């Protein structure tokens, strides 16, 4: 009889974090729970020395660098972690991949407030009909700019993180500002 | 930064067989695959203790998703008890300590070779399909670099031509399995060699489908509530296999996908391909309290 393998705390946490992120992108607009608050858990689950990261604060930079990831300017990063979306114009600089390689598009991780603020209507894959959500803490014109700069299948993914809650917005989701 | 802060505690083996960096790579690529439904995302495809082409792609995705509370079901052509399914299930259970089941309703994670269970999947379930050839354009364009450009241009004219030629030559579409399907109106994907019977089950389904080809090192995904439309001409409707009238000789089930078993006298009998559904039907006939979930097909017709 073999003993059952026991996952380490790190494995348990990153596995649960990924589960939340995967379902957040699969069902845009539905809020999922991360095992721990903050973006550090997301960094643990996704980022290692194969990644190029741009982080908005020195603390996050240091945390991401510890995984072995390269710290690069925004336009070269495959993972962009920001405490807030400073200006909508920065979406223009994000990596979007190419028609041949849509997977080269960036993943944008933002701190936001979920459940209050601007009302949005989401449609697209993963949404049963449409879903209305409220997001606060992003700059004016953010959603307009997201719509204007992306041309499917090129684009970027957005994770909005509010404490230990996460909402995902894949590039395939259409966001209508209500 | 010290050496200790850069290393992790010693472990006898990586949980779920794959090491953490392999899992992170699959996680990143799976997230992109979900975001661009039907688009093939290249990934590293690490070694697993199984020959490539025997389900290594599906196995790597399962190993990434698994945790000690994930209840796993593995099927091979609908059967839980075939060699491929039984060995993958035992391997997954051994490396993760996760419980296993043969019941579609109890499963959290279903890894499958070439079938989708007949019972409807729920929105908390993940279906992992093993894919031998992820490139639907390969029969018309063997050069994969050119095929990638054709996907980028949404240049699927030759797919239509291939279907047209089949209809002209044979009077019907000859594509039996892995029927090319348009996902979210943009990418044509191969749904892995599931029979035509199973393709409508992917359209606007509630569950998440991940399709992973280990040998070809590519994975793609169909998120829940996503359009999956088989390529058909307006005047030649999509036809599933004519199995609606067949009856399973063991369980008496009718209106599901059947395996044909040739007999010595030249005739053939049929057996329901989803073995667990057959087992449950037999138990129910014997009076055991068995729950059979709602099925995609009712009386041989795809339900809404």
């Amino acid at each position: 009889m073999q003993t059952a393998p026991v996952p380490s705390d790190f494995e348990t946490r990153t596995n649960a974090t990924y589960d939340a992120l995967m379902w957040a992108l699969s069902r845009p607009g539905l809020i999922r729970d991360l095992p721990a608050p903050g973006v550090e858990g997301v960094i643990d689950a996704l980022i290692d020395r194969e990644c190029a990261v741009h982080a908005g604060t020195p603390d996050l930079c240091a945390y991401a660098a510890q995984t072995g990831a390269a710290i690069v300017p925004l336009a070269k990063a495959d993972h962009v972690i920001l405490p807030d979306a400073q200006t909508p114009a920065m979406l223009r600089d994000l990596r979007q991949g190419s028609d041949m390689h849509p997977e080269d598009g960036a993943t944008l991780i933002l701190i936001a407030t979920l459940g209050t603020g601007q009302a949005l209507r989401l449609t697209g894959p993963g949404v049963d009909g449409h879903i209305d959500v409220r997001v606060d803490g992003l700059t004016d014109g953010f959603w307009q700019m997201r719509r204007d700069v992306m041309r499917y299948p090129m684009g970027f993914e957005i994770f909005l993180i509010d404490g230990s809650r996460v909402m995902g917005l894949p590039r395939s989701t259409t966001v209508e500002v209500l | 930064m010290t050496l200790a802060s850069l290393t992790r505690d010693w472990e006898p083996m990586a949980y779920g067989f794959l090491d953490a960096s392999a899992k992170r790579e699959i996680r990143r690529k799976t997230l992109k695959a979900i975001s661009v439904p039907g688009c093939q995302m290249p990934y590293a495809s690490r070694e697993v203790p199984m020959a490539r082409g025997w389900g290594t792609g599906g196995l790597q995705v399962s190993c990434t998703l698994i945790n000690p509370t994930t209840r796993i079901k593995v099927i091979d052509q609908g059967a839980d008890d075939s060699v491929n399914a039984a060995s993958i299930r035992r391997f997954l259970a051994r490396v993760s300590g996760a419980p296993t089941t043969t019941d579609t309703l109890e499963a959290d994670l279903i890894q499958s070779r070439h079938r989708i269970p007949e019972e409807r999947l729920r929105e908390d379930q993940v279906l992992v399909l093993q894919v031998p050839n992820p490139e639907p354009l390969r029969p018309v364009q063997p050069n994969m670099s050119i095929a990638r450009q054709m996907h980028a241009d949404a240049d699927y004219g030759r797919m239509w031509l291939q279907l047209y030629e089949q209809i002209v030559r044979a009077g019907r579409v000859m594509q039996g399995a892995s029927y090319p399907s348009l996902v979210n109106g943009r990418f044509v994907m191969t749904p892995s060699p599931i029979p035509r019977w199973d393709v409508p089950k992917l359209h606007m389904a509630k569950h998440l489908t991940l399709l992973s080809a280990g040998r070809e090192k590519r994975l793609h995904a169909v998120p829940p509530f996503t359009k999956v439309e088989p390529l058909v001409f307006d005047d030649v409707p999509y036809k599933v296999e004519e199995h609606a009238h067949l009856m399973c000789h063991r369980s008496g089930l009718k209106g599901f996908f059947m395996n044909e078993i040739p007999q010595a006298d030249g005739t053939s009998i049929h057996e329901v391909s989803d073995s667990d559904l057959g087992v449950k039907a037999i138990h129910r006939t014997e009076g055991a309290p068995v729950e059979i979930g709602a099925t995609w097909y009712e009386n041989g017709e795809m339900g809404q």
Side-chain angles (χ1 to χ4, degrees):
Chain A
M1 182 63 199
Q2 289 172 315
T3 51
V6 178
S8 64
D9 289 346
F10 180 81
E11 165 65 28
T12 306
R13 203 171 60 243
T14 51
N15 180 282
T17 306
Y18 171 62
D19 200 61
L21 297 177
M22 181 183 78
W23 281 110
L25 272 195
S26 302
R27 301 297 309 277
L30 297 187
I31 293 168
R32 307 279 163 177
D33 288 323
L34 296 167
V39 296
E40 285 82 1
V42 180
I43 294 176
D44 286 339
L46 296 181
I47 290 171
D48 55 26
R49 67 177 73 83
E50 295 170 16
C51 299
V53 175
H54 175 84
T57 67
D59 284 355
L60 286 174
C61 260
Y63 196 84
Q66 204 162 23
T67 65
I71 303 297
V72 297
L74 184 95
K76 290 192 172 156
D78 49 40
H79 289 79
V80 177
I81 308 160
L82 297 174
D84 58 276
Q86 301 104 341
T87 60
M90 67 102 186
L91 293 179
R92 211 176 273 151
D93 300 330
L94 282 176
R95 255 173 54 173
Q96 298 201 29
S98 58
D99 282 327
M100 298 258 276
H101 290 281
E103 72 272 14
D104 290 341
T107 304
L108 175 61
I109 301 160
L110 285 173
I111 311 284
T113 309
L114 303 175
T116 60
Q118 180 66 59
L120 305 169
R121 175 161 292 179
L122 312 182
T123 48
V127 183
D128 186 9
H130 65 85
I131 183 169
D132 293 349
V133 296
R134 282 180 177 276
V135 176
D136 206 359
L138 301 175
T139 50
D140 291 339
F142 183 85
W143 302 110
Q144 175 84 30
M145 184 59 87
R146 174 184 179 274
R147 197 192 64 196
D148 291 349
V149 297
M150 283 203 309
R151 186 176 60 74
Y152 189 82
M154 295 193 290
F156 46 83
E157 276 60 62
I158 301 173
F159 285 113
L160 299 174
I161 296 193
D162 178 3
S164 61
R165 300 190 303 158
V166 61
M167 188 166 86
L169 287 164
R171 65 190 75 175
S172 56
T173 300
T174 308
V175 179
E176 184 190 345
V177 178
L178 296 177
Chain B
M1 196 180 283
T2 63
L3 206 53
S5 73
L6 289 172
T7 53
R8 304 210 181 275
D9 294 338
W10 182 86
E11 286 180 280
M13 61 171 274
Y15 179 82
F17 190 79
L18 292 179
D19 57 62
S21 73
K23 287 180 180 175
R24 280 190 294 265
E25 203 255 350
I26 291 180
R27 285 172 190 151
R28 292 195 297 266
K29 288 297 161 59
T30 311
L31 291 181
K32 293 296 169 194
I34 291 169
S35 307
V36 192
C39 181
Q40 300 162 49
M41 303 295 179
Y43 75 108
S45 190
R46 303 313 207 262
E47 291 284 330
V48 287
M50 198 165 72
R52 290 192 194 276
W54 289 84
T56 53
L59 188 64
Q60 289 174 71
V61 171
S62 297
C63 285
T64 305
L65 288 172
I66 211 161
N67 66 53
T69 59
T70 315
R71 195 168 283 274
I72 43 178
K73 170 181 165 83
V74 185
I75 50 177
D76 173 5
Q77 296 277 15
D80 292 276
D81 50 3
S82 82
V83 174
N84 188 238
S87 2
I88 290 178
R89 181 168 55 240
R90 194 176 58 170
F91 177 78
L92 282 172
R94 263 192 197 166
V95 298
S96 70
T100 61
T101 183
T102 59
D103 189 343
T104 306
L105 301 179
E106 283 179 4
D108 300 312
L109 175 69
I110 300 170
Q111 181 174 335
S112 166
R113 174 178 174 270
H114 309 356
R115 275 309 310 279
I116 298 176
E118 297 285 6
E119 285 160 291
R120 280 176 182 270
L121 299 181
R122 295 186 312 267
E123 57 184 314
D124 59 331
Q125 289 176 310
V126 182
L127 175 70
V128 177
L129 285 168
Q130 303 167 197
V131 186
N133 170 19
E135 181 56 82
L137 296 172
R138 189 160 298 169
V140 297
Q141 178 48 267
N143 184 328
M144 67 165 107
S145 304
I146 299 176
R148 183 162 284 277
Q149 181 69 58
M150 288 167 73
H151 280 294
D153 296 340
D155 173 11
Y156 296 126
R158 285 195 211 178
M159 296 303 296
W160 293 102
L161 185 61
Q162 184 196 27
L163 295 177
Y164 173 75
E165 284 179 345
Q166 288 177 5
I167 292 171
V168 168
R169 283 190 190 139
R172 65 182 178 89
V173 174
M174 299 301 284
Q175 190 90 28
S178 50
Y179 197 97
S181 307
L182 188 66
V183 186
N184 189 28
R186 176 59 179 81
F187 284 97
V188 169
M189 70 154 189
T190 167
S192 86
I194 56 175
R196 292 196 304 268
W197 184 269
D198 284 350
V199 177
K201 297 176 183 175
L202 289 171
H203 176 68
M204 298 306 266
K206 286 185 174 158
H207 66 278
L208 168 65
T209 309
L210 300 171
L211 303 103
S212 177
R215 184 182 51 202
E216 306 285 332
K217 307 187 178 187
R218 284 185 249 177
L219 60 85
H220 52 289
V222 180
F225 301 107
T226 300
K227 283 187 283 181
V228 178
E229 298 149 316
L231 296 184
V232 281
F233 297 102
D234 289 348
D235 52 347
V236 185
Y238 183 73
K239 268 190 190 162
V240 300
E241 289 79 356
E242 289 173 354
H243 287 194
H245 63 285
L246 302 176
M247 205 211 292
C248 172
H249 80 284
R250 292 171 74 182
S251 63
L253 282 173
K254 211 173 165 185
F256 296 106
F257 193 78
M258 298 286 168
N259 296 333
E260 185 177 2
I261 303 163
Q263 300 297 297
D265 61 359
T267 61
S268 55
I269 55 173
H270 296 88
E271 186 179 285
V272 70
S273 164
D274 185 341
S275 68
D276 188 60
L277 186 71
V279 169
K280 283 206 276 190
I282 292 169
H283 284 167
R284 178 180 271 186
T285 329
E286 289 167 349
V290 188
E291 192 194 346
I292 297 181
T295 50
W296 310 90
Y297 282 86
E298 287 151 10
N299 305 318
E301 292 285 325
M302 183 70 190
Q304 288 305 308

